[in-house]
Amino acid sequence: MIMSPTITSALSLFLYGLSAFLIFNQLTHHSEKTARQRWLSLSPVFIGLILHAAALYQLIWHTNGLDLGFFATFSLITWLISIQILLSCFFRHIEALGIVMFPMAGLASLASSMTPVTSAKLIVVSNVTIQGHIMISVIAYSLIMLGAVQAILLAYQDRAIRSHHPGGFIRYLPPIHDMETLLFQFLGFGFVLLSGSLLTGFFYLDDIFAQHQAHKTLFSLIAWLILGTLLFGRFQFGWRGRTAVRWTLSAFALLMIGFFGSKLVYQFII
């Protein structure tokens, strides 16, 4: 028996929320975490991700095309971000990021499952190459969005340390050096995938500079230049701290305006 997307999403929201609660409870009540305690708090996410994926499959893939509307796309991006956080937990203690991102993924899944789909909103894609372009773009956006979240946390952490008030949530974050390393890892992979997205778009899309695509392409190109400059500055001049935060958030803002801004206008206004 196949559950409806709404029920599946509601269950994933519960599991995401449970994991976020367990992580928060573990961080606030245990001064020293064991591997068993860490993965016990993360275990609900594994099932939540599977249920979220099942809901996404039912919501996005249709016989007549793909539903890549605002809520469906946001749900897909938050799912990818949750996977990236979970995979990163194998190498670094960054589960604190899940306190915010996991419930957000569950809420996004539930919101997308409750949004009606009309055939006029579907994107008809028969070319496998174009489908690959779409997925590369979405994964790139999710990595850069995760980088933006990381940059905000880094700015908060840096400000608290400079003001000599490293308490509260700061206590549960990795050291600032690890936070910066993780930020540039996300941005590096995001930049590579964004480059692939732009290249495949130029080669395989006939209307990349059409009226409804021109602003998205322009914003993506500017964001690509900003990220490329930031990464070059990092490895050549050792850019870090506030400079990295400002450049990351600028690139993220441009991408989101181009990507989600157009979806908001076409889906809810036009």
Side-chain angles (χ1 to χ4, degrees), residues 142-216:
S142 69
L143 278 165
I144 295 168
M145 183 176 178
L146 185 54
V149 173
Q150 185 78 357
I152 292 170
L153 290 173
L154 184 60
Y156 175 60
Q157 190 177 25
D158 180 70
R159 181 179 178 183
I161 292 173
R162 288 176 183 273
S163 61
H164 304 289
H165 294 292
F169 187 66
I170 293 296
R171 294 175 297 172
Y172 312 125
L173 295 176
I176 197 165
H177 177 268
D178 289 347
M179 293 283 285
E180 285 185 340
T181 301
L182 195 61
L183 168 63
F184 281 99
Q185 285 177 354
F186 290 144
L187 294 181
F189 286 119
F191 178 77
V192 170
L193 289 170
L194 183 59
S195 302
S197 170
L198 290 170
L199 282 174
T200 54
F202 279 117
F203 280 109
Y204 298 109
L205 294 181
D206 297 327
D207 59 348
I208 192 169
F209 285 110
Q211 184 176 1
H212 66 291
Q213 292 284 353
H215 66 286
K216 186 187 297 183

Side-chain angles (χ1 to χ4, degrees), residues 141 144 191 194-199 201-202 208-209 213-229 250-251 254-256 258-259:
Y141 292 150
I144 295 168
F191 178 77
L194 183 59
S195 302
S197 170
L198 290 170
L199 282 174
F202 279 117
I208 192 169
F209 285 110
Q213 292 284 353
H215 66 286
K216 186 187 297 183
T217 304
L218 179 61
F219 281 127
S220 296
L221 281 171
I222 297 173
W224 180 82
L225 287 172
I226 290 174
L227 285 175
T229 303
S250 297
L254 288 168
L255 281 176
M256 291 304 104
F259 189 70

